[in-house]
Amino acid sequence: MPIYGTIWIMAFAFLVRFMPYGMRFCYAGIVSVHPHLEECARTCGAGPLTMLWRIVLPLAMPAIAAVWIYVFLSSIRDLSLPVMLAGPNNRLIAVVILDLWERRQGSGGRRAQHPVGADATALGFAFMRLSSRYGAKAF
């Protein structure tokens, strides 16, 4: 079964592209969970899955949320992967925005520096306001 031109190649490409960022940012959140908490859970009879679900995941959730926001904002601006891997039936939003931008350029529309830049900036500000509402601090 060919994978080129399907959504699975896009998912795999984005996973490979942004996994180092996710691993690097999540590392600090996971390391901040002290091993004594895990030992205490094991002493109280919790299994590995319960320990992960009830202790590690809630404490690492701010780092995981920050990674999701960063990867989302970075991937929405990434045009090279979707343009190379898009097929006729799986066009991501970056490809659609690029097509609309090119059509507007050809019809004498105003020229923009980057077709996705303003949208990504607006989403970034929205995520910053939302995270500050819940007590997260910016860098």
Side-chain angles (χ1 to χ4, degrees):
M1 179 176 107
I3 193 171
Y4 185 78
T6 65
I7 196 69
W8 299 111
I9 190 71
M10 296 268 198
F12 181 71
F14 277 107
L15 180 74
V16 169
R17 166 89 167 89
F18 291 107
M19 186 184 291
Y21 297 111
M23 295 298 292
R24 189 65 177 157
F25 287 135
C26 276
Y27 179 74
I30 299 296
V31 168
S32 68
V33 178
H34 202 274
H36 288 348
L37 292 171
E38 296 174 10
E39 290 173 14
C40 182
R42 258 186 257 125
T43 303
C44 292
L49 214 62
T50 304
M51 186 172 41
L52 178 72
W53 185 255
R54 305 277 313 255
I55 294 173
V56 177
L57 192 63
L59 292 175
M61 193 52 91
I64 294 169
V67 166
W68 275 103
I69 291 169
Y70 177 78
V71 168
F72 173 75
L73 289 174
S74 296
S75 67
I76 199 169
R77 293 185 59 219
D78 192 9
L79 287 174
S80 60
L81 284 176
V83 168
M84 286 190 323
L85 299 174
N89 296 328
N90 69 340
R91 296 167 40 123
L92 293 181
I93 192 166
V95 177
V96 173
I97 290 173
L98 181 66
D99 288 343
L100 292 173
W101 182 62
E102 285 177 353
R103 273 192 229 142
R104 190 174 76 184
Q105 297 294 353
S107 65
R110 202 186 77 168
R111 294 204 175 260
Q113 289 298 92
H114 195 281
V116 188
D119 298 335
T121 303
L123 279 171
F125 281 123
F127 281 135
M128 281 177 51
R129 299 244 332 148
L130 186 65
S131 64
S132 67
R133 178 183 298 170
Y134 292 105
K137 298 207 180 206
F139 300 97

